[in-house]
Amino acid sequence: MWNSPAEFFAMGGYALYVWCSFGVCALVLILEPLAVRARHKAIVRRLQREVMAEQFDQKGSK
């Protein structure tokens, strides 16, 4: 295994690939829930507008 923390972080010469991969994975794990929440809020707002438009149309046709 590794004899020092520096050897661990160097990852046998593959540190750039390994740590960049971890970084990209962490970034995706953080951004995906934020993107899903934003899409959910947009869908809810659109549905609320559609319901209000339907209610307005029903009141106007009476």
Side-chain angles (χ1 to χ4, degrees):
M1 292 318 238
W2 297 284
N3 295 325
S4 70
E7 285 183 25
F8 170 75
F9 289 110
M11 290 286 165
Y14 296 101
L16 183 63
Y17 171 75
V18 171
W19 295 116
C20 286
S21 297
F22 275 111
V24 168
C25 184
L27 184 65
V28 168
L29 289 173
I30 291 168
L31 293 179
E32 183 63 22
L34 297 175
V36 168
R37 185 182 333 165
R39 286 191 304 259
H40 178 265
K41 286 182 180 182
I43 290 169
V44 168
R45 281 193 304 268
R46 190 184 76 215
L47 291 173
Q48 287 173 339
R49 284 194 304 266
E50 288 180 12
V51 167
M52 288 186 344
E54 272 187 31
Q55 290 172 349
F56 181 76
D57 287 342
Q58 287 176 354
K59 287 180 185 178
S61 63
K62 286 184 181 180

